[in-house]
């Protein structure tokens, strides 16, 4: 049954590309740095709902940078790290 699935070259290429896309997607998700889960930062400022995404992102980054400088939050870390530290 499986051998007939990969019988044609087009199906083999499609299967290989699908597996490669899944590996790349999982790899990028696993390597993306994340914030410490104990740190929740609110900007404390007024941002209109229809504000551009860049403006809202800049306000959140500024609030995170301030919390990081104050020692309230830790820096970004790898998604998978040693939990014993």
């Amino acid at each position: 049954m499986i051998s007939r699935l990969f019988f044609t070259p087009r199906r083999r290429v499609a299967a290989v590309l699908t597996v490669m896309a899944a590996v790349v997607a999982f790899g990028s998700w696993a390597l993306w740095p994340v914030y410490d889960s104990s740190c929740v930062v609110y900007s404390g400022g007024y941002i209109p709902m229809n504000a551009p995404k860049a403006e809202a992102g800049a306000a959140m980054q500024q609030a995170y940078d301030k919390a990081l400088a104050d020692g309230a939050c830790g820096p970004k870390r790898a998604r998978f790290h040693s939990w014993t530290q």
Side-chain angles (χ1 to χ4, degrees), residues 17-70:
L17 290 177
T18 301
V19 169
M20 286 175 54
V23 168
V24 168
F26 177 76
S28 65
W29 174 81
L31 296 176
W32 195 269
V34 294
Y35 296 106
D36 187 19
S37 62
S38 64
C39 181
V40 177
V41 177
Y42 297 100
S43 68
Y46 172 73
I47 301 174
M49 291 298 288
N50 59 354
K53 188 174 184 179
E55 183 181 338
M60 287 187 290
Q61 186 63 41
Q62 184 180 18
Y64 174 73
D65 292 340
K66 183 178 181 314
L68 187 61
D70 293 343

Side-chain angles (χ1 to χ4, degrees), residues 72-84:
C73 291
K76 287 184 178 181
R77 60 170 177 76
R79 184 176 303 274
F80 301 107
H81 71 287
S82 176
W83 293 98
T84 59

